[in-house]
Amino acid sequence: MEQLGFDGMPRRLYPCTPTRLAAWLDCPRRYRMTYLDRPPPPKGPPWAHNSLGASVHNALAGWWRLPRRERTVAAAGDLLDTGWISDGFADDAQSAAHRRECRRMVEDYVAGLDPAVEPLGVERTVATRTDLIAVSGRIDRLDARPAADGGPGDLVVVDYKTGRHVLTVDDARGSLALALYALAAERVMRRPCLRVELHHLPTGTVLAWGHTPESLARQLRRAEDIAGECAAADDRYLGDPMAAATFPPRPGPGCGWCDFRAQCPEGAAAARPRRPWDGLADLPDTGPSLAATA
Ligand code: SF4
């Protein structure tokens, strides 16, 4: 049956990523400034915690791309060192302290991996579609874990986390992004993919959730509902980019971390500005450099 949009018209296929859908849910104004305003409004400076996260992700992806015999613990640390991104740190000393900590973190993580077990994908882009949405995204790692009987087993979506926020299993269970990745991986690989895992490197914990086909279908319907709101808002924006009511701000404490806080009076009033390095975890060995930045 033809799906109808908000105005009774057939709804077009909406191309999206989980990040775009999450941006809409989080704050429609931020969504507009990120995805619709052209030229895009100026962003604030880069965040050190984003640099740290990208550095760790790049090192782990690079490690899996090495020939198997070169996948040593030290090689992971070396990749972290050589690819370190220092944008957003207060100074060289703070950057170096976190680089050392991340080297330790990455080495500890790969020490628990079997370099001979090849993932099915590393930073692999997957995509799927329904009658309403075409969703795509990049999976940190896609594993194929052997079944207990030695069979090929199911696929597992692995997502690396580097933030200081402590995660729970509910974060894996409720993640729309992980569910969509699982559905897309299943479609691309033509194998069941029900298990999703968050690998929290700072604590060395794995938060895993086993979906059912029904729970994945629920998440897909949720994505379609959000996409329907986005598509209607996009259409209204094309008709009138100044239709502010379509993209209301959603001010709150998180506005301190928003790239567009300087362009948003409501957000600026709601939260104090954050320094680019405020999202970093405190380290015991950062010494006088951090004291100087307090
Ligand atoms: S500062 Fe807050 S309210 Fe304003 S766009 Fe950013 S998240 Fe939305």
Side-chain angles (χ1 to χ4, degrees):
M1 181 197 281
E2 187 109 58
Q3 301 287 337
L4 297 183
F6 282 17
D7 301 315
M9 300 293 289
R11 196 202 286 173
R12 63 185 159 77
L13 194 68
Y14 184 77
C16 59
T17 62
T19 306
R20 182 169 181 142
L21 299 179
W24 171 261
L25 285 183
D26 187 42
C27 175
R29 179 178 288 173
R30 182 164 71 80
Y31 169 92
R32 190 201 75 201
M33 290 198 273
T34 304
Y35 295 105
L36 301 180
D37 286 352
R38 293 294 177 267
K43 289 183 173 182
W47 299 100
H49 59 274
N50 285 346
S51 297
L52 182 155
S55 301
V56 170
H57 279 71
N58 291 343
L60 292 176
W63 189 78
W64 282 113
R65 292 185 184 116
L66 292 172
R68 280 186 202 183
R69 66 182 180 285
E70 295 178 22
R71 289 178 195 158
T72 62
V73 168
D78 291 345
L79 284 167
L80 187 284
D81 276 343
T82 55
W84 183 249
I85 302 167
S86 58
D87 296 343
F89 288 89
D91 54 32
D92 289 346
Q94 188 196 50
S95 174
H98 281 273
R99 179 167 48 77
R100 284 194 297 275
E101 179 64 15
C102 284
R103 177 173 183 127
R104 184 197 59 75
M105 189 166 74
V106 164
E107 290 184 341
D108 285 353
Y109 180 72
V110 303
L113 301 176
D114 182 347
V117 179
E118 205 71 43
L120 276 184
V122 171
E123 294 198 343
R124 178 169 184 143
T125 297
V126 291
T128 190
R129 64 169 55 198
T130 70
D131 289 343
L132 298 175
I133 60 173
V135 61
S136 61
R138 199 167 60 174
I139 301 176
D140 287 343
R141 200 174 87 215
L142 184 63
D143 285 354
R145 309 267 172 83
D149 63 2
D154 290 348
L155 306 182
V156 181
V157 170
V158 173
D159 196 44
Y160 303 132
K161 292 294 180 190
T162 59
R164 58 183 173 182
H165 175 64
V166 176
L167 302 170
T168 71
V169 169
D170 281 349
D171 291 299
R173 180 178 63 84
S175 169
L176 179 65
L178 289 180
L180 294 176
Y181 292 154
L183 284 161
E186 184 169 307
R187 178 181 177 275
V188 171
M189 306 305 295
R190 301 176 192 277
R191 289 171 60 178
C193 184
L194 296 169
R195 186 177 170 90
V196 297
E197 294 180 353
L198 295 171
H199 290 202
H200 189 240
L201 273 73
T203 56
T205 53
V206 173
L207 294 312
W209 183 253
H211 275 290
T212 62
E214 292 74 26
S215 67
L216 288 180
R218 279 196 299 276
Q219 291 279 24
L220 189 57
R221 284 195 296 275
R222 185 176 156 219
E224 288 181 329
D225 289 344
I226 301 166
E229 295 178 18
C230 294
D234 290 8
D235 288 346
R236 284 199 288 273
Y237 177 88
L238 289 175
D240 178 8
M242 301 310 290
T246 304
F247 302 95
R250 202 160 282 163
C255 292
W257 304 103
C258 177
D259 285 331
F260 301 111
R261 181 181 174 281
Q263 323 298 326
C264 177
E266 294 88 345
R272 65 183 172 88
R274 300 286 188 161
R275 297 170 302 184
W277 54 90
D278 277 349
L280 297 169
D282 297 330
L283 295 180
D285 64 342
T286 43
S289 168
L290 276 193
T293 67

